[in-house]
Coordinates of all heavy atoms in Angstrom, one line a residue:
V983 N 0.8 -1.2 0.0 CA 0.0 0.0 0.0 C 0.9 1.2 0.0 O 0.6 2.2 -0.7 CB -1.0 0.0 1.2 CG1 -1.7 1.3 1.4 CG2 -2.0 -1.1 1.1
L984 N 1.9 1.2 0.8 CA 2.8 2.4 0.9 C 3.4 2.7 -0.5 O 3.5 3.8 -0.9 CB 3.9 2.2 1.9 CG 3.4 2.3 3.4 CD1 4.5 2.0 4.4 CD2 2.8 3.7 3.7
Q985 N 3.9 1.7 -1.1 CA 4.6 1.8 -2.4 C 3.6 2.3 -3.5 O 3.9 3.1 -4.4 CB 5.2 0.5 -2.9 CG 6.5 0.2 -2.1 CD 7.1 -1.1 -2.5 OE1 6.4 -2.0 -3.0 NE2 8.3 -1.3 -2.1
K986 N 2.3 1.9 -3.4 CA 1.3 2.4 -4.3 C 1.0 3.9 -4.1 O 0.7 4.6 -5.1 CB 0.0 1.5 -4.1 CG -1.1 1.9 -5.1 CD -2.3 1.0 -4.9 CE -3.4 1.4 -5.8 NZ -4.6 0.6 -5.6
M987 N 1.0 4.3 -2.8 CA 0.5 5.7 -2.5 C 1.7 6.7 -2.4 O 1.4 7.9 -2.5 CB -0.3 5.7 -1.2 CG -1.6 4.9 -1.4 SD -2.5 4.6 0.1 CE -2.7 6.2 0.7
F988 N 2.9 6.2 -2.2 CA 4.0 7.1 -2.0 C 5.3 6.7 -2.7 O 5.5 5.5 -2.9 CB 4.4 7.2 -0.5 CG 3.3 7.7 0.4 CD1 2.6 6.7 1.2 CD2 3.0 9.0 0.5 CE1 1.6 7.1 2.0 CE2 2.0 9.4 1.4 CZ 1.3 8.5 2.1
A989 N 6.1 7.6 -3.2 CA 7.4 7.3 -3.7 C 8.4 8.0 -2.8 O 8.3 9.1 -2.4 CB 7.6 7.8 -5.1
I990 N 9.3 7.2 -2.2 CA 10.3 7.7 -1.2 C 11.7 7.5 -1.8 O 12.0 6.5 -2.4 CB 10.1 6.9 0.1 CG1 8.7 7.1 0.6 CG2 11.1 7.4 1.1 CD1 8.3 6.2 1.8
E991 N 12.5 8.6 -1.6 CA 13.9 8.5 -2.0 C 14.8 9.2 -1.0 O 14.3 10.0 -0.2 CB 14.1 9.1 -3.4 CG 13.9 10.6 -3.5 CD 14.0 11.1 -4.9 OE1 13.6 10.4 -5.9 OE2 14.6 12.2 -5.1
P992 N 16.1 9.0 -1.0 CA 17.0 9.7 -0.1 C 16.9 11.2 -0.3 O 16.7 11.8 -1.4 CB 18.4 9.3 -0.5 CG 18.2 8.0 -1.2 CD 16.8 8.1 -1.9
A993 N 16.9 11.9 0.9 CA 16.8 13.4 0.9 C 18.1 14.1 0.4 O 18.0 15.2 -0.1 CB 16.5 13.9 2.3
S994 N 19.2 13.4 0.4 CA 20.5 13.9 0.0 C 21.0 13.0 -1.1 O 20.9 11.8 -1.0 CB 21.5 14.1 1.1 OG 22.7 14.4 0.6
S995 N 21.7 13.6 -2.1 CA 22.3 12.8 -3.2 C 23.7 12.3 -2.8 O 24.3 11.5 -3.5 CB 22.4 13.6 -4.5 OG 23.1 14.7 -4.3
L996 N 24.2 12.8 -1.6 CA 25.5 12.4 -1.2 C 25.5 11.1 -0.5 O 24.4 10.6 0.0 CB 26.1 13.4 -0.1 CG 26.2 14.9 -0.7 CD1 26.6 15.8 0.5 CD2 27.2 14.9 -1.8
T997 N 26.6 10.4 -0.4 CA 26.7 9.1 0.2 C 27.2 9.3 1.6 O 27.9 10.3 1.9 CB 27.6 8.1 -0.6 OG1 28.9 8.7 -0.7 CG2 27.0 7.8 -1.9
E998 N 26.8 8.4 2.5 CA 27.3 8.4 3.9 C 28.8 8.5 4.0 O 29.5 7.8 3.3 CB 26.7 7.3 4.7 CG 25.2 7.3 4.8 CD 24.6 6.1 5.5 OE1 25.4 5.3 6.0 OE2 23.4 6.1 5.6
G999 N 29.3 9.4 4.8 CA 30.7 9.6 5.0 C 31.3 10.8 4.2 O 32.3 11.3 4.5
Q1000 N 30.5 11.2 3.2 CA 31.0 12.4 2.3 C 30.9 13.7 3.1 O 30.0 13.8 4.0 CB 30.2 12.5 1.1 CG 30.6 11.6 -0.1 CD 29.9 12.0 -1.3 OE1 28.7 11.8 -1.5 NE2 30.7 12.5 -2.3
S1001 N 31.7 14.6 2.8 CA 31.7 16.0 3.4 C 30.5 16.7 2.9 O 30.1 16.6 1.7 CB 33.0 16.8 3.0 OG 34.1 16.1 3.6
I1002 N 29.9 17.5 3.8 CA 28.7 18.3 3.5 C 28.8 19.6 4.2 O 29.3 19.7 5.3 CB 27.4 17.5 3.9 CG1 26.2 18.3 3.4 CG2 27.4 17.2 5.4 CD1 24.9 17.5 3.5
K1003 N 28.3 20.7 3.5 CA 28.3 22.0 4.1 C 26.8 22.4 4.3 O 26.0 22.3 3.4 CB 29.0 23.0 3.2 CG 29.0 24.4 3.8 CD 29.9 25.3 2.9 CE 30.1 26.7 3.6 NZ 31.0 27.5 2.8
V1004 N 26.4 22.7 5.6 CA 25.1 23.1 5.9 C 25.1 24.6 6.0 O 25.9 25.2 6.8 CB 24.6 22.4 7.3 CG1 23.2 22.8 7.6 CG2 24.8 20.9 7.1
P1005 N 24.1 25.3 5.3 CA 24.2 26.7 5.3 C 23.8 27.3 6.7 O 23.3 26.7 7.5 CB 23.1 27.1 4.3 CG 22.3 25.9 4.0 CD 23.1 24.7 4.4
E1006 N 24.2 28.6 6.8 CA 24.0 29.3 8.1 C 22.5 29.2 8.5 O 22.2 28.9 9.7 CB 24.4 30.7 8.0 CG 24.2 31.5 9.3 CD 24.7 32.9 9.1 OE1 25.5 33.2 8.2 OE2 24.4 33.8 10.0
N1007 N 21.6 29.6 7.7 CA 20.2 29.6 8.0 C 19.5 28.4 7.5 O 18.5 28.6 6.8 CB 19.5 30.9 7.5 CG 20.1 32.1 8.1 OD1 20.3 32.2 9.3 ND2 20.4 33.2 7.3
F1008 N 19.9 27.2 7.9 CA 19.4 26.0 7.3 C 18.0 25.7 7.9 O 17.6 26.2 9.0 CB 20.3 24.8 7.6 CG 20.5 24.4 9.1 CD1 19.7 23.5 9.6 CD2 21.3 25.1 9.9 CE1 19.7 23.1 10.9 CE2 21.5 24.8 11.2 CZ 20.7 23.8 11.8
D1009 N 17.2 25.0 7.1 CA 15.9 24.5 7.5 C 16.0 23.3 8.5 O 16.5 22.3 8.1 CB 15.1 24.1 6.3 CG 13.7 23.7 6.5 OD1 13.4 23.4 7.7 OD2 12.9 23.6 5.6
Q1010 N 15.6 23.5 9.7 CA 15.7 22.4 10.7 C 14.9 21.2 10.4 O 15.1 20.1 11.0 CB 15.4 23.0 12.1 CG 16.5 23.9 12.6 CD 16.3 24.4 14.0 OE1 15.4 24.0 14.7 NE2 17.2 25.3 14.4
G1011 N 13.9 21.3 9.5 CA 13.2 20.2 9.1 C 13.9 19.3 8.1 O 13.6 18.2 7.8
Q1012 N 15.0 19.9 7.5 CA 15.8 19.1 6.5 C 17.1 18.6 7.0 O 17.7 17.7 6.4 CB 16.1 20.0 5.3 CG 14.8 20.4 4.5 CD 15.1 21.1 3.3 OE1 16.0 20.8 2.5 NE2 14.3 22.1 3.0
Y1013 N 17.6 19.2 8.1 CA 18.9 18.8 8.6 C 18.8 18.6 10.2 O 18.2 19.3 10.9 CB 20.0 19.8 8.4 CG 20.3 20.2 7.0 CD1 19.7 21.2 6.3 CD2 21.3 19.4 6.3 CE1 20.0 21.5 5.0 CE2 21.6 19.7 5.0 CZ 20.9 20.8 4.4 OH 21.2 21.0 3.1
T1014 N 19.5 17.5 10.7 CA 19.7 17.4 12.1 C 21.2 17.4 12.3 O 21.9 16.6 11.7 CB 19.1 16.0 12.6 OG1 17.7 16.0 12.3 CG2 19.4 15.8 14.0
L1015 N 21.6 18.3 13.1 CA 23.1 18.4 13.4 C 23.4 17.7 14.7 O 22.7 17.8 15.7 CB 23.5 19.9 13.5 CG 23.2 20.8 12.3 CD1 23.7 22.2 12.6 CD2 23.8 20.2 11.0
T1016 N 24.5 17.0 14.7 CA 25.0 16.3 15.9 C 26.5 16.7 16.0 O 27.1 17.1 15.1 CB 24.8 14.8 15.8 OG1 25.6 14.3 14.7 CG2 23.4 14.4 15.7
G1017 N 27.0 16.4 17.2 CA 28.5 16.6 17.4 C 28.7 17.9 18.1 O 27.9 18.5 18.8
K1018 N 29.9 18.6 17.8 CA 30.3 19.8 18.4 C 29.7 21.0 17.6 O 30.3 21.4 16.6 CB 31.8 19.9 18.4 CG 32.4 18.8 19.3 CD 33.9 18.8 19.3 CE 34.5 17.7 20.1 NZ 35.9 17.7 20.1
I1019 N 28.6 21.5 18.0 CA 27.9 22.6 17.3 C 28.1 23.9 18.1 O 27.7 24.0 19.3 CB 26.4 22.3 17.2 CG1 26.2 20.9 16.5 CG2 25.7 23.3 16.4 CD1 24.9 20.3 16.7
S1020 N 28.6 24.9 17.5 CA 28.7 26.2 18.1 C 28.6 27.3 17.0 O 29.0 27.1 15.9 CB 30.0 26.4 18.9 OG 31.1 26.3 18.0
G1021 N 28.1 28.4 17.4 CA 27.9 29.5 16.5 C 26.7 29.3 15.5 O 25.9 28.4 15.7
K1022 N 26.6 30.2 14.5 CA 25.5 30.3 13.6 C 25.7 29.4 12.4 O 24.8 29.1 11.6 CB 25.2 31.7 13.2 CG 24.7 32.6 14.3 CD 24.4 33.9 13.8 CE 23.8 34.8 14.8 NZ 23.4 36.1 14.3
G1023 N 26.9 29.1 12.1 CA 27.2 28.3 10.8 C 27.7 29.3 9.8 O 27.8 30.5 10.0
P1024 N 27.9 28.9 8.6 CA 27.6 27.5 8.1 C 28.4 26.5 8.8 O 29.4 26.7 9.5 CB 28.0 27.6 6.6 CG 28.9 28.7 6.5 CD 28.6 29.7 7.6
F1025 N 27.9 25.2 8.7 CA 28.5 24.1 9.4 C 29.1 23.1 8.4 O 28.5 22.8 7.4 CB 27.6 23.4 10.3 CG 26.9 24.3 11.3 CD1 25.7 24.9 11.1 CD2 27.6 24.5 12.5 CE1 25.1 25.7 12.1 CE2 27.0 25.3 13.4 CZ 25.8 25.9 13.2
N1026 N 30.3 22.6 8.7 CA 30.9 21.6 7.8 C 31.0 20.3 8.6 O 31.3 20.3 9.8 CB 32.4 22.0 7.4 CG 32.4 23.2 6.5 OD1 31.8 23.2 5.5 ND2 33.0 24.2 6.9
G1027 N 30.7 19.2 8.0 CA 30.7 17.9 8.7 C 30.6 16.8 7.6 O 30.9 16.9 6.5
S1028 N 30.4 15.6 8.1 CA 30.3 14.4 7.3 C 28.9 13.9 7.4 O 28.3 13.9 8.5 CB 31.3 13.3 7.6 OG 31.1 12.9 8.9
L1029 N 28.3 13.4 6.3 CA 27.0 12.9 6.2 C 26.9 11.6 7.0 O 27.6 10.6 6.6 CB 26.5 12.7 4.8 CG 25.1 12.3 4.5 CD1 24.2 13.4 4.9 CD2 24.9 11.9 3.1
E1030 N 26.0 11.5 8.0 CA 25.9 10.3 8.7 C 24.7 9.5 8.2 O 24.7 8.3 8.2 CB 25.6 10.6 10.2 CG 26.8 11.2 10.9 CD 28.0 10.3 10.9 OE1 27.8 9.1 11.2 OE2 29.1 10.8 10.6
H1031 N 23.6 10.2 7.7 CA 22.5 9.5 7.2 C 21.8 10.5 6.1 O 21.7 11.6 6.4 CB 21.4 9.2 8.2 CG 20.3 8.4 7.7 ND1 19.2 9.0 7.1 CD2 20.0 7.1 7.8 CE1 18.3 8.0 6.8 NE2 18.8 6.9 7.2
A1032 N 21.5 10.0 4.9 CA 21.0 10.8 3.9 C 19.6 11.3 4.1 O 19.2 12.2 3.4 CB 21.1 10.0 2.5
G1033 N 18.9 10.7 5.0 CA 17.5 11.1 5.2 C 16.6 10.5 4.1 O 17.0 9.9 3.2
W1034 N 15.3 10.8 4.3 CA 14.3 10.3 3.3 C 13.4 11.5 3.0 O 13.0 12.3 3.8 CB 13.5 9.2 3.8 CG 14.4 8.0 4.1 CD1 14.9 7.5 5.3 CD2 14.9 7.1 3.1 NE1 15.6 6.4 5.2 CE2 15.7 6.1 3.8 CE3 14.8 7.0 1.7 CZ2 16.3 5.1 3.2 CZ3 15.5 5.9 1.1 CH2 16.2 5.0 1.8
K1035 N 12.8 11.5 1.7 CA 11.8 12.4 1.4 C 10.8 11.7 0.5 O 11.1 10.8 -0.2 CB 12.4 13.6 0.7 CG 13.0 13.4 -0.7 CD 13.6 14.7 -1.3 CE 14.3 14.4 -2.6 NZ 14.9 15.6 -3.2
V1036 N 9.6 12.3 0.5 CA 8.5 11.8 -0.4 C 8.5 12.5 -1.7 O 8.6 13.8 -1.7 CB 7.1 11.9 0.3 CG1 6.0 11.5 -0.6 CG2 7.1 11.1 1.6
T1037 N 8.5 11.8 -2.8 CA 8.5 12.5 -4.1 C 7.2 12.3 -4.8 O 7.0 13.0 -5.9 CB 9.7 12.0 -5.0 OG1 9.5 10.6 -5.1 CG2 11.0 12.3 -4.4
K1038 N 6.4 11.5 -4.3 CA 5.0 11.3 -4.9 C 4.0 10.9 -3.8 O 4.4 10.1 -2.9 CB 5.0 10.2 -5.9 CG 3.7 9.8 -6.5 CD 3.7 8.5 -7.4 CE 3.4 7.3 -6.5 NZ 3.2 6.1 -7.2
T1039 N 2.9 11.6 -3.8 CA 1.8 11.2 -2.9 C 0.5 11.1 -3.7 O 0.1 12.0 -4.3 CB 1.7 12.3 -1.8 OG1 2.9 12.5 -1.2 CG2 0.6 11.9 -0.8
E1040 N -0.1 9.9 -3.6 CA -1.4 9.7 -4.3 C -2.3 9.1 -3.2 O -2.6 7.9 -3.2 CB -1.2 8.7 -5.4 CG -0.4 9.4 -6.6 CD -0.3 8.5 -7.8 OE1 -1.0 7.4 -7.9 OE2 0.5 8.8 -8.7
I1041 N -2.9 10.0 -2.4 CA -3.8 9.6 -1.4 C -5.2 9.9 -1.9 O -5.5 11.0 -2.4 CB -3.6 10.3 -0.1 CG1 -2.2 10.0 0.4 CG2 -4.6 10.0 1.0 CD1 -1.8 10.8 1.7
P1042 N -6.1 8.9 -1.8 CA -7.5 9.2 -2.3 C -8.2 10.2 -1.5 O -7.9 10.4 -0.3 CB -8.2 7.8 -2.2 CG -7.3 6.9 -1.5 CD -6.0 7.6 -1.3
L1043 N -9.1 11.0 -2.1 CA -9.8 12.0 -1.3 C -10.7 11.4 -0.3 O -11.3 10.3 -0.6 CB -10.7 12.8 -2.3 CG -9.9 13.7 -3.3 CD1 -10.9 14.4 -4.3 CD2 -9.1 14.8 -2.5
W1044 N -10.8 12.0 0.9 CA -11.6 11.5 2.0 C -13.1 11.8 1.6 O -13.4 12.9 1.3 CB -11.2 12.1 3.3 CG -12.1 11.7 4.4 CD1 -13.0 12.5 5.0 CD2 -12.2 10.4 5.0 NE1 -13.7 11.8 6.0 CE2 -13.2 10.5 6.0 CE3 -11.6 9.2 4.8 CZ2 -13.6 9.4 6.8 CZ3 -11.9 8.2 5.6 CH2 -12.9 8.3 6.6
N1045 N -13.9 10.8 1.7 CA -15.3 11.1 1.4 C -16.3 10.6 2.6 O -17.5 10.5 2.4 CB -15.8 10.4 0.1 CG -15.6 8.9 0.1 OD1 -15.2 8.3 1.1 ND2 -15.9 8.2 -1.0
G1046 N -15.6 10.4 3.7 CA -16.4 10.0 4.9 C -16.8 11.3 5.8 O -16.5 12.4 5.3
T1047 N -17.3 11.0 6.9 CA -17.7 12.1 7.8 C -16.5 12.5 8.6 O -15.5 11.8 8.8 CB -18.8 11.6 8.8 OG1 -18.3 10.6 9.6 CG2 -20.0 11.1 8.0
N1048 N -16.6 13.7 9.3 CA -15.5 14.2 10.1 C -15.4 13.3 11.3 O -14.3 13.1 11.8 CB -15.8 15.6 10.6 CG -15.6 16.7 9.5 OD1 -15.0 16.4 8.5 ND2 -16.3 17.8 9.6
E1049 N -16.5 12.7 11.8 CA -16.4 11.9 13.0 C -15.7 10.6 12.7 O -15.0 10.1 13.6 CB -17.8 11.5 13.5 CG -18.6 12.7 14.1 CD -19.2 13.6 12.9 OE1 -19.4 13.2 11.8 OE2 -19.5 14.8 13.3
S1050 N -15.6 10.1 11.5 CA -14.9 8.8 11.2 C -13.6 9.1 10.6 O -12.9 8.1 10.4 CB -15.8 8.0 10.3 OG -16.0 8.6 9.1
A1051 N -13.1 10.3 10.5 CA -11.9 10.6 9.8 C -10.6 10.0 10.6 O -9.7 9.6 10.0 CB -11.7 12.1 9.6
N1052 N -10.7 9.9 11.9 CA -9.6 9.5 12.7 C -9.7 8.0 13.2 O -8.9 7.6 14.0 CB -9.4 10.4 13.9 CG -9.0 11.8 13.5 OD1 -8.2 12.0 12.5 ND2 -9.5 12.8 14.2
I1053 N -10.7 7.3 12.7 CA -10.9 5.9 13.1 C -9.9 5.1 12.4 O -9.8 5.1 11.1 CB -12.3 5.5 12.8 CG1 -13.3 6.3 13.6 CG2 -12.5 4.0 13.1 CD1 -13.2 6.2 15.1
I1054 N -9.1 4.3 13.1 CA -8.2 3.3 12.5 C -8.9 2.0 12.1 O -8.7 1.5 11.0 CB -7.0 3.1 13.5 CG1 -6.2 4.4 13.7 CG2 -6.1 2.0 12.9 CD1 -5.2 4.3 14.8
A1055 N -9.7 1.5 13.0 CA -10.5 0.3 12.8 C -11.8 0.6 13.4 O -11.9 1.0 14.6 CB -9.9 -0.9 13.4
P1056 N -12.9 0.4 12.7 CA -14.3 0.7 13.2 C -14.7 -0.3 14.4 O -14.1 -1.4 14.4 CB -15.2 0.6 12.1 CG -14.5 -0.3 11.1 CD -13.0 -0.1 11.3
T1057 N -15.6 0.2 15.2 CA -16.1 -0.7 16.2 C -16.9 -1.8 15.6 O -17.7 -1.6 14.6 CB -17.1 0.2 17.1 OG1 -16.4 1.3 17.7 CG2 -17.7 -0.7 18.2
E1058 N -16.6 -3.0 16.0 CA -17.2 -4.2 15.4 C -18.4 -4.7 16.3 O -18.2 -4.8 17.5 CB -16.2 -5.3 15.2 CG -16.7 -6.5 14.4 CD -15.6 -7.5 14.2 OE1 -14.5 -7.0 13.9 OE2 -16.0 -8.7 14.2
V1059 N -19.5 -4.8 15.8 CA -20.7 -5.3 16.5 C -21.3 -6.5 15.9 O -21.6 -6.5 14.7 CB -21.8 -4.1 16.6 CG1 -23.0 -4.6 17.4 CG2 -21.2 -2.9 17.2
E1060 N -21.5 -7.5 16.7 CA -22.2 -8.7 16.2 C -23.7 -8.6 16.6 O -24.0 -8.5 17.7 CB -21.6 -10.0 16.8 CG -22.3 -11.2 16.3 CD -21.8 -12.5 16.9 OE1 -20.8 -12.5 17.6 OE2 -22.4 -13.5 16.7
V1061 N -24.5 -8.5 15.5 CA -26.0 -8.3 15.8 C -26.6 -9.7 16.0 O -26.3 -10.6 15.2 CB -26.6 -7.6 14.6 CG1 -28.1 -7.5 14.8 CG2 -26.0 -6.3 14.4
K1062 N -27.4 -9.9 17.0 CA -28.0 -11.1 17.4 C -29.5 -11.0 17.2 O -30.1 -10.0 17.4 CB -27.6 -11.6 18.8 CG -26.2 -11.8 18.9 CD -25.8 -12.2 20.3 CE -24.3 -12.4 20.4 NZ -23.9 -13.0 21.6

C-alpha cells in the first residue's frame, strides 16, 4: 500500500561519510546536526544519514464524515 501511494527516495544525493556543508540559516526540518555545534554556521561535517523524502503522494480524497476521519479500525458489533 505504501509503495502504491508514496514514492520515497534519499533526501540527499551524497553518500554516507561524504563531506557536506550546511548553510547558516538551514531549515531544521531538512537537517539534524550532531556533534560539536557552536555559532550560527555555516557548518561543515560528514553525512551520517542521507534522510528520506517523499517525491510522490497519491492519497485518495476522503469522502467520509468528520467523526470517522480518525478511526483506525471501526467498532465491530455482532448483531443477534
Side-chain angles (χ1 to χ4, degrees):
V983 171
L984 289 176
Q985 289 176 339
K986 181 178 179 182
M987 295 172 55
F988 302 101
I990 300 171
E991 67 181 39
S994 174
S995 61
L996 300 175
T997 57
E998 293 177 3
Q1000 276 190 292
S1001 295
I1002 184 170
K1003 185 174 186 175
V1004 179
E1006 180 178 343
N1007 296 315
F1008 68 95
D1009 181 345
Q1010 292 184 2
Q1012 294 186 40
Y1013 297 94
T1014 298
L1015 302 181
T1016 60
K1018 298 178 181 179
I1019 306 161
S1020 64
K1022 293 183 176 184
F1025 300 99
N1026 293 304
S1028 62
L1029 185 70
E1030 295 297 315
H1031 186 278
W1034 297 102
K1035 66 180 177 181
V1036 174
T1037 58
K1038 175 188 90 168
T1039 304
E1040 292 183 10
I1041 300 174
L1043 292 176
W1044 175 252
N1045 60 3
T1047 64
N1048 287 339
E1049 291 80 19
S1050 64
N1052 294 324
I1053 300 296
I1054 297 170
T1057 303
E1058 187 173 324
V1059 178
E1060 181 181 350
V1061 178
K1062 298 181 180 185

